[in-house]
Amino acid sequence: MKQFKQVIIHVGTDKTGSTSIQKAFGTMREPLRSRGLAAYLPGDVHPMLGSAFCAEPESYVFNRNVGIADRAKIQARDKQYLVEVEDFIKSAQNCETLVASYEGFMHLPDEALEGMYKWARRYADSVIAVMYVREPHSYAVSAMGQNVRMGKEPCPNGRIPIHNFPEKIGRLVKLFGRDSVMVRSFESDQLTGKDAVIDFLHIVGAADIIDSPDYVTPERTNQRMTSRAMMFGGAFAKALLDAGIKLPSAEYQRKYGGLIADLPGPSIKLTPEQAEVVAQTSRTGLDYLRSEFGIVFKDPPEKYIAPADTASEEILRDIAGVVTGMVLKQCLLENAFGHIEVDNLPAQMKAGAELKLGVTLFNESSVLWQSTNPNPINIGYRYRGADGKLIGGGGRTALPHARLRARDKCKLELKVKAPKAPGDYTMEISVVQEQHAWLDQKGFTKFSAKLSVA
C-alpha cells in the first residue's frame, strides 16, 4: 500500500496567486502535517523537484532565471534536495495528501514532466495536476508588468503574453489523464471563498485549518505595476541589453524590479490594437476551456484597454538611457581582487608556436565582474623581455557568460602564441576591462612565469 491517498502537483499558471499559495502553505507546513491534512514539500516553492528530472537542467526556466548554468552544480543541488524531500516524506506518515507547487512545472520538457509524474506515483496511485487560469486580457497586462520586473521587455520579441491553453493543458491531460487534471478559473467569484489559497486548501483536503488559529491570511505578493513603470522598465531593460548587460531575471528583479514598480501612475492598459490581438489569439483557448472544463470568464476585457501614451513613452525612454549610463559606470571595476591559475604552461616553446592553456580565474572581490559592450572584460597575456620591458601581447579571451560573481571562479581556454624571436621571457596573464584598465592595476594578482623560446 502506498503512503499517500493522493499527490497534488500545482503547476500554476503564473499570475494566478501561485506565490500566495506557496507562501501560505510554506508557513502552515507544520500545522498542516501535524493535523494529518497535507504534507507540503520543503521550501515555499519547489522548482528543484522539476529540475531533478531534466536531462539538461541548465535550460530549465528556474535555473535560467537565477543564472545557474553549471550542470554538475545543478545536479548536485537537486540530488541533495531530493534527499531532503525523502526525509520529509518519511516524517508525514499520517497525511493523506502530498503537495508540490511551482508554476514553472508546465515549462518542463515532456520527459522531465513524465519523470516527475512517475516519481509521484511511487507515493500514491492518484496524482492530480492543478492549474488556475486567468482571463487573457487581464493576464496579458499582469504578465507584461511581471516581464518588466524581471528585466525583459513587456512583450518579448513583440509577442503579447498569452497562454496557449490547449497546448499547455493538453500536455498534462496526455500524461496525467483527463480525470486527473483540474483547471480552475482565477476569477474571485469562481473561487471557493473568493480566494486562491482558500480554494486550493479545499482541493487538497485541508480546509479544516481555515477556521483554526494556525490559518495564515493569504499574503498579497504581486506589486501593482503602472503604465509609466512598464514604459520605463521596458526601455531600461532594452537599453541594458543593447549595452551588453544581461542579468539573470532573479538578480534584475532584486536590484531594479521593485524600484521600477514603485513609479506612480495609472494601471497598465492594452492598446486597442493589442487588445484585438489578444482577442483573436485567445479565441481557440477560450473555446477549449469552456468545452472541456466549463470555464467562462466574466471579467470584461474593456477594463484593460486604453490608447497608448506615446509622449510619456518617449520621455521615459530618454530617462532609461540616462539611468543605463549610470549602471555602466557602476560596472567599471576599481577593487578587482583575484588571481589566475594556469594548468599546462611549459617551460619552453618554439618561436611562434601556439598553445592552448587551461586557465582558472578567481574573483576574490566582493563585487560582480560584468562585461558590457563599452567595457568588455577579457583575459589576455603579455610578454616581458629579459630586461623586464614590455614587448607585446596577444589576443583576448572573453569572460565566460560575460560575468563572474563575487567569490566565484570559472575555467576557460586561453590561446597563446610564443614570441617570434628566441630568448628568455616572462609571460604575464591577467584580466583587462577594455577602455578602463588592466585589473592588476586595480588589485588583481596577475600570473607570471618564465618562458624560454628557442
Side-chain angles (χ1 to χ4, degrees):
M1 184 176 179
K2 295 184 178 179
Q3 180 174 343
F4 299 100
K5 178 180 178 181
Q6 60 183 355
V7 175
I8 293 182
I9 301 176
H10 173 223
V11 300
T13 57
D14 56 306
K15 315 311 299 175
T16 59
S18 297
T19 304
S20 293
I21 289 173
Q22 292 153 2
K23 285 186 175 295
F25 270 69
T27 302
M28 294 188 291
R29 177 182 291 107
E30 292 309 315
L32 286 168
R33 183 175 57 165
S34 65
R35 285 176 166 83
L37 297 173
Y40 190 67
L41 293 182
D44 285 356
V45 59
H46 310 126
M48 291 176 286
L49 182 64
S51 179
F53 300 101
C54 290
E56 298 177 353
E58 65 276 12
S59 300
Y60 180 46
V61 59
F62 170 74
N63 295 319
R64 293 203 315 269
N65 284 346
V66 297
I68 304 176
D70 189 314
R71 183 180 299 182
K73 287 184 178 180
I74 295 172
Q75 291 174 334
R77 179 206 65 191
D78 295 345
K79 183 178 180 180
Q80 178 59 39
Y81 179 72
L82 287 180
V83 171
E84 295 174 10
V85 165
E86 297 291 339
D87 289 343
F88 174 79
I89 289 174
K90 291 175 183 177
S91 72
Q93 297 293 330
N94 64 329
C95 290
E96 290 191 346
T97 304
L98 180 67
V99 184
S101 173
Y102 178 50
E103 53 271 38
F105 286 153
M106 66 181 183
H107 300 298
L108 285 168
D110 287 346
E111 65 275 11
L113 191 62
E114 182 177 4
M116 187 171 67
Y117 173 77
K118 290 180 177 178
W119 172 86
R121 285 294 303 270
R122 290 168 49 192
Y123 300 102
D125 289 325
S126 176
V127 180
I128 299 171
V130 176
M131 175 185 285
Y132 289 87
V133 293
R134 186 168 179 165
E135 194 282 324
H137 295 80
S138 170
Y139 171 76
V141 297
S142 185
M144 288 162 68
Q146 183 66 15
N147 283 340
V148 169
R149 288 188 194 90
M150 298 178 71
K152 305 173 184 177
E153 295 185 72
C155 301
N157 301 316
R159 300 178 64 180
I160 301 171
I162 302 172
H163 280 307
N164 184 338
F165 291 127
E167 187 274 331
K168 292 183 182 297
I169 300 174
R171 292 178 66 223
L172 296 174
V173 169
K174 182 178 179 181
L175 179 60
F176 288 73
R178 171 62 183 83
D179 293 340
S180 295
V181 175
M182 183 179 296
V183 181
R184 303 280 292 164
S185 169
F186 184 61
E187 290 187 339
S188 61
D189 288 345
Q190 300 187 52
L191 294 170
T192 305
K194 297 187 176 183
D195 182 271
V197 174
I198 294 175
D199 190 83
F200 192 63
L201 281 166
H202 277 81
I203 288 172
V204 304
D208 288 354
I209 202 171
I210 294 173
D211 295 324
S212 78
D214 291 318
Y215 177 66
V216 174
T217 301
E219 179 181 349
R220 305 302 169 207
T221 56
N222 285 333
Q223 190 175 3
R224 176 179 174 268
M225 176 74 73
T226 67
S227 58
R228 292 171 188 167
M230 185 183 71
M231 291 178 197
F232 171 78
F236 180 52
K238 184 178 185 303
L240 286 181
L241 288 174
D242 290 343
I245 301 176
K246 186 176 181 181
L247 301 178
S249 297
E251 182 177 336
Y252 182 97
Q253 190 165 9
R254 184 177 68 253
K255 284 185 174 181
Y256 307 117
L259 294 172
I260 291 171
D262 281 338
L263 290 175
S267 298
I268 297 172
K269 301 289 185 180
L270 299 171
T271 66
E273 294 78 14
Q274 289 175 325
E276 180 61 25
V277 171
V278 172
Q280 294 291 339
T281 307
S282 62
R283 183 170 292 126
T284 300
L286 293 177
D287 290 342
Y288 175 80
L289 291 177
R290 181 176 59 252
S291 63
E292 295 295 323
F293 299 94
I295 292 176
V296 177
F297 296 113
K298 300 176 183 178
D299 204 10
E302 292 75 20
K303 67 188 286 188
Y304 303 104
I305 305 172
D309 185 356
T310 55
S312 293
E313 186 172 1
E314 184 175 347
I315 293 171
L316 291 168
R317 189 183 300 117
D318 291 341
I319 296 174
V322 173
V323 175
T324 302
M326 296 168 60
V327 173
L328 289 173
K329 288 184 179 179
Q330 290 178 339
C331 290
L332 295 177
L333 298 172
E334 296 301 333
N335 296 291
F337 299 105
H339 75 280
I340 279 178
E341 294 179 0
V342 178
D343 295 337
N344 54 342
L345 179 65
Q348 295 182 334
M349 290 181 68
K350 291 183 178 181
E354 294 184 351
L355 179 67
K356 289 183 179 179
L357 300 178
V359 171
T360 304
L361 174 62
F362 295 81
N363 176 0
E364 295 165 335
S365 74
S366 59
V367 298
L368 169 76
W369 294 355
Q370 173 70 59
S371 272
T372 66
N373 286 343
N375 306 104
I377 298 176
N378 296 314
I379 294 87
Y381 67 97
R382 300 169 290 186
Y383 288 111
R384 294 186 184 276
D387 58 0
K389 292 183 179 180
L390 187 66
I391 62 169
R396 306 281 203 259
T397 297
L399 186 68
H401 310 298
R403 63 204 324 262
L404 184 60
R405 297 176 185 272
R407 311 298 182 188
D408 204 352
K409 64 182 178 180
C410 64
K411 292 185 177 183
L412 63 147
E413 283 190 341
L414 178 64
K415 187 177 180 180
V416 300
K417 186 175 183 178
K420 294 181 179 180
D424 293 327
Y425 298 88
T426 299
M427 172 187 276
E428 298 178 348
I429 301 177
S430 190
V431 182
V432 58
Q433 188 168 35
E434 308 290 357
Q435 310 303 318
H436 177 52
W438 284 87
L439 298 190
D440 47 76
Q441 301 170 3
K442 303 291 183 179
F444 188 81
T445 301
K446 62 189 176 184
F447 172 87
S448 297
K450 299 295 183 181
L451 180 67
S452 176
V453 176

